[in-house]
Amino acid sequence: MIVDLFAGPRGWSEGLRLLGLTDIGLELDTDAVRTAKAAGHATIQCDVTQYPTRPFASHIKGLKGSPVCTPFSAAGKQGGIVDLPLVYQGVHDLAHGRDTRAQLAGACKDSKSVLAAEPMRWLYDLRPEWVCLEQVPAVLPLWQQYAGILRGWGYSVWAGVLNAADYGVPQTRKRAIFIASRVRTVSAPAPRHTEHDRCDDLFGESLPVW
């Protein structure tokens, strides 16, 4: 089973579908749930932060998610940047079996900031085979914290900022990406496209432009 946290209208799931894989999404927003179901994606409408992890124990293979980005987005008030130390604390506590999310949310400038710590609750409880997370670039330091924790649990990990245009998306959308696996070595995916006309890959072949 592959679980999608903060699933939205299921962009991640459309990517999985291209690989012949399916997942189940957890999402609160009614419109997003309707869109996902209309596209044929299994969805549980719920508050991810309150949903128990136990039903997925021993069944989960992969975990992916896009925690709410508005607290950290450059297009918003960026209260999440101020709140990062509290989110770090939430991640640390969850990684050691302590749930302090409610207290930390109350102390945050933006109560949604602590949602970026939520995947750690699922990781601590379920230890899936692989993990993929994404957020706006400002969240990269948090993904690096995740990386340090999961390395200690025996995962191979990579965290960095990627540009969607380098992978064939017609949009220069940069995102902080976190990838981890217990069963294989992970690294940044090789670009499939390039901004400039001349850019050779390792085999001397030119990449198509954006």
mmCIF file with all atom_site columns, all heavy atoms in Angstrom, residues 101-112:
data_model
loop_
_atom_site.group_PDB
_atom_site.id
_atom_site.type_symbol
_atom_site.label_atom_id
_atom_site.label_alt_id
_atom_site.label_comp_id
_atom_site.label_asym_id
_atom_site.label_entity_id
_atom_site.label_seq_id
_atom_site.pdbx_PDB_ins_code
_atom_site.Cartn_x
_atom_site.Cartn_y
_atom_site.Cartn_z
_atom_site.occupancy
_atom_site.B_iso_or_equiv
_atom_site.pdbx_formal_charge
_atom_site.auth_seq_id
_atom_site.auth_comp_id
_atom_site.auth_asym_id
_atom_site.auth_atom_id
_atom_site.pdbx_PDB_model_num
ATOM 1  N N   . ARG A 1 101 ? 2.376  18.158 19.099 1.00 0.00 ? 101 ARG A N   1
ATOM 2  C CA  . ARG A 1 101 ? 1.856  18.979 18.003 1.00 0.00 ? 101 ARG A CA  1
ATOM 3  C C   . ARG A 1 101 ? 0.877  20.046 18.481 1.00 0.00 ? 101 ARG A C   1
ATOM 4  O O   . ARG A 1 101 ? 0.941  21.196 18.037 1.00 0.00 ? 101 ARG A O   1
ATOM 5  C CB  . ARG A 1 101 ? 1.185  18.087 16.959 1.00 0.00 ? 101 ARG A CB  1
ATOM 6  C CG  . ARG A 1 101 ? 2.135  17.190 16.189 1.00 0.00 ? 101 ARG A CG  1
ATOM 7  C CD  . ARG A 1 101 ? 1.345  16.231 15.302 1.00 0.00 ? 101 ARG A CD  1
ATOM 8  N NE  . ARG A 1 101 ? 0.513  15.341 16.096 1.00 0.00 ? 101 ARG A NE  1
ATOM 9  C CZ  . ARG A 1 101 ? -0.549 14.681 15.641 1.00 0.00 ? 101 ARG A CZ  1
ATOM 10 N NH1 . ARG A 1 101 ? -0.902 14.833 14.369 1.00 0.00 ? 101 ARG A NH1 1
ATOM 11 N NH2 . ARG A 1 101 ? -1.240 13.871 16.420 1.00 0.00 ? 101 ARG A NH2 1
ATOM 12 N N   . ALA A 1 102 ? -0.027 19.694 19.373 1.00 0.00 ? 102 ALA A N   1
ATOM 13 C CA  . ALA A 1 102 ? -1.056 20.645 19.809 1.00 0.00 ? 102 ALA A CA  1
ATOM 14 C C   . ALA A 1 102 ? -0.436 21.840 20.522 1.00 0.00 ? 102 ALA A C   1
ATOM 15 O O   . ALA A 1 102 ? -0.783 22.996 20.249 1.00 0.00 ? 102 ALA A O   1
ATOM 16 C CB  . ALA A 1 102 ? -2.066 19.943 20.706 1.00 0.00 ? 102 ALA A CB  1
ATOM 17 N N   . GLN A 1 103 ? 0.495  21.574 21.426 1.00 0.00 ? 103 GLN A N   1
ATOM 18 C CA  . GLN A 1 103 ? 1.140  22.670 22.157 1.00 0.00 ? 103 GLN A CA  1
ATOM 19 C C   . GLN A 1 103 ? 1.943  23.559 21.210 1.00 0.00 ? 103 GLN A C   1
ATOM 20 O O   . GLN A 1 103 ? 1.911  24.794 21.313 1.00 0.00 ? 103 GLN A O   1
ATOM 21 C CB  . GLN A 1 103 ? 2.063  22.110 23.243 1.00 0.00 ? 103 GLN A CB  1
ATOM 22 C CG  . GLN A 1 103 ? 1.384  21.212 24.255 1.00 0.00 ? 103 GLN A CG  1
ATOM 23 C CD  . GLN A 1 103 ? 1.477  19.751 23.900 1.00 0.00 ? 103 GLN A CD  1
ATOM 24 O OE1 . GLN A 1 103 ? 0.993  19.318 22.849 1.00 0.00 ? 103 GLN A OE1 1
ATOM 25 N NE2 . GLN A 1 103 ? 2.096  18.981 24.795 1.00 0.00 ? 103 GLN A NE2 1
ATOM 26 N N   . LEU A 1 104 ? 2.662  22.949 20.293 1.00 0.00 ? 104 LEU A N   1
ATOM 27 C CA  . LEU A 1 104 ? 3.492  23.720 19.380 1.00 0.00 ? 104 LEU A CA  1
ATOM 28 C C   . LEU A 1 104 ? 2.656  24.536 18.414 1.00 0.00 ? 104 LEU A C   1
ATOM 29 O O   . LEU A 1 104 ? 2.998  25.684 18.099 1.00 0.00 ? 104 LEU A O   1
ATOM 30 C CB  . LEU A 1 104 ? 4.422  22.776 18.612 1.00 0.00 ? 104 LEU A CB  1
ATOM 31 C CG  . LEU A 1 104 ? 5.494  22.092 19.463 1.00 0.00 ? 104 LEU A CG  1
ATOM 32 C CD1 . LEU A 1 104 ? 6.197  21.014 18.660 1.00 0.00 ? 104 LEU A CD1 1
ATOM 33 C CD2 . LEU A 1 104 ? 6.500  23.100 19.985 1.00 0.00 ? 104 LEU A CD2 1
ATOM 34 N N   . ALA A 1 105 ? 1.535  23.978 17.948 1.00 0.00 ? 105 ALA A N   1
ATOM 35 C CA  . ALA A 1 105 ? 0.655  24.719 17.044 1.00 0.00 ? 105 ALA A CA  1
ATOM 36 C C   . ALA A 1 105 ? 0.132  25.977 17.722 1.00 0.00 ? 105 ALA A C   1
ATOM 37 O O   . ALA A 1 105 ? 0.029  27.038 17.091 1.00 0.00 ? 105 ALA A O   1
ATOM 38 C CB  . ALA A 1 105 ? -0.508 23.836 16.585 1.00 0.00 ? 105 ALA A CB  1
ATOM 39 N N   . GLY A 1 106 ? -0.170 25.870 19.016 1.00 0.00 ? 106 GLY A N   1
ATOM 40 C CA  . GLY A 1 106 ? -0.655 27.032 19.756 1.00 0.00 ? 106 GLY A CA  1
ATOM 41 C C   . GLY A 1 106 ? 0.393  28.111 19.922 1.00 0.00 ? 106 GLY A C   1
ATOM 42 O O   . GLY A 1 106 ? 0.062  29.291 20.066 1.00 0.00 ? 106 GLY A O   1
ATOM 43 N N   . ALA A 1 107 ? 1.657  27.714 19.891 1.00 0.00 ? 107 ALA A N   1
ATOM 44 C CA  . ALA A 1 107 ? 2.746  28.678 20.052 1.00 0.00 ? 107 ALA A CA  1
ATOM 45 C C   . ALA A 1 107 ? 3.208  29.268 18.722 1.00 0.00 ? 107 ALA A C   1
ATOM 46 O O   . ALA A 1 107 ? 3.953  30.254 18.713 1.00 0.00 ? 107 ALA A O   1
ATOM 47 C CB  . ALA A 1 107 ? 3.930  27.999 20.749 1.00 0.00 ? 107 ALA A CB  1
ATOM 48 N N   . CYS A 1 108 ? 2.774  28.698 17.615 1.00 0.00 ? 108 CYS A N   1
ATOM 49 C CA  . CYS A 1 108 ? 3.221  29.148 16.297 1.00 0.00 ? 108 CYS A CA  1
ATOM 50 C C   . CYS A 1 108 ? 2.516  30.427 15.865 1.00 0.00 ? 108 CYS A C   1
ATOM 51 O O   . CYS A 1 108 ? 1.353  30.664 16.197 1.00 0.00 ? 108 CYS A O   1
ATOM 52 C CB  . CYS A 1 108 ? 2.957  28.061 15.251 1.00 0.00 ? 108 CYS A CB  1
ATOM 53 S SG  . CYS A 1 108 ? 4.114  26.676 15.299 1.00 0.00 ? 108 CYS A SG  1
ATOM 54 N N   . LYS A 1 109 ? 3.207  31.236 15.096 1.00 0.00 ? 109 LYS A N   1
ATOM 55 C CA  . LYS A 1 109 ? 2.597  32.424 14.497 1.00 0.00 ? 109 LYS A CA  1
ATOM 56 C C   . LYS A 1 109 ? 1.505  32.014 13.533 1.00 0.00 ? 109 LYS A C   1
ATOM 57 O O   . LYS A 1 109 ? 0.471  32.667 13.435 1.00 0.00 ? 109 LYS A O   1
ATOM 58 C CB  . LYS A 1 109 ? 3.667  33.251 13.780 1.00 0.00 ? 109 LYS A CB  1
ATOM 59 C CG  . LYS A 1 109 ? 3.152  34.556 13.197 1.00 0.00 ? 109 LYS A CG  1
ATOM 60 C CD  . LYS A 1 109 ? 4.279  35.383 12.611 1.00 0.00 ? 109 LYS A CD  1
ATOM 61 C CE  . LYS A 1 109 ? 3.748  36.694 12.062 1.00 0.00 ? 109 LYS A CE  1
ATOM 62 N NZ  . LYS A 1 109 ? 4.859  37.533 11.492 1.00 0.00 ? 109 LYS A NZ  1
ATOM 63 N N   . ASP A 1 110 ? 1.735  30.932 12.779 1.00 0.00 ? 110 ASP A N   1
ATOM 64 C CA  . ASP A 1 110 ? 0.739  30.340 11.896 1.00 0.00 ? 110 ASP A CA  1
ATOM 65 C C   . ASP A 1 110 ? 0.530  28.904 12.357 1.00 0.00 ? 110 ASP A C   1
ATOM 66 O O   . ASP A 1 110 ? 1.452  28.086 12.287 1.00 0.00 ? 110 ASP A O   1
ATOM 67 C CB  . ASP A 1 110 ? 1.222  30.376 10.436 1.00 0.00 ? 110 ASP A CB  1
ATOM 68 C CG  . ASP A 1 110 ? 0.148  29.931 9.448  1.00 0.00 ? 110 ASP A CG  1
ATOM 69 O OD1 . ASP A 1 110 ? -0.657 29.054 9.796  1.00 0.00 ? 110 ASP A OD1 1
ATOM 70 O OD2 . ASP A 1 110 ? 0.132  30.468 8.322  1.00 0.00 ? 110 ASP A OD2 1
ATOM 71 N N   . SER A 1 111 ? -0.656 28.592 12.841 1.00 0.00 ? 111 SER A N   1
ATOM 72 C CA  . SER A 1 111 ? -0.900 27.266 13.420 1.00 0.00 ? 111 SER A CA  1
ATOM 73 C C   . SER A 1 111 ? -0.718 26.139 12.416 1.00 0.00 ? 111 SER A C   1
ATOM 74 O O   . SER A 1 111 ? -0.504 24.984 12.803 1.00 0.00 ? 111 SER A O   1
ATOM 75 C CB  . SER A 1 111 ? -2.318 27.202 14.007 1.00 0.00 ? 111 SER A CB  1
ATOM 76 O OG  . SER A 1 111 ? -3.291 27.418 12.988 1.00 0.00 ? 111 SER A OG  1
ATOM 77 N N   . LYS A 1 112 ? -0.764 26.455 11.105 1.00 0.00 ? 112 LYS A N   1
ATOM 78 C CA  . LYS A 1 112 ? -0.585 25.425 10.082 1.00 0.00 ? 112 LYS A CA  1
ATOM 79 C C   . LYS A 1 112 ? 0.887  25.064 9.876  1.00 0.00 ? 112 LYS A C   1
ATOM 80 O O   . LYS A 1 112 ? 1.183  24.063 9.208  1.00 0.00 ? 112 LYS A O   1
ATOM 81 C CB  . LYS A 1 112 ? -1.198 25.878 8.765  1.00 0.00 ? 112 LYS A CB  1
ATOM 82 C CG  . LYS A 1 112 ? -2.719 25.992 8.796  1.00 0.00 ? 112 LYS A CG  1
ATOM 83 C CD  . LYS A 1 112 ? -3.264 26.416 7.447  1.00 0.00 ? 112 LYS A CD  1
ATOM 84 C CE  . LYS A 1 112 ? -4.786 26.515 7.480  1.00 0.00 ? 112 LYS A CE  1
ATOM 85 N NZ  . LYS A 1 112 ? -5.332 26.951 6.165  1.00 0.00 ? 112 LYS A NZ  1
#
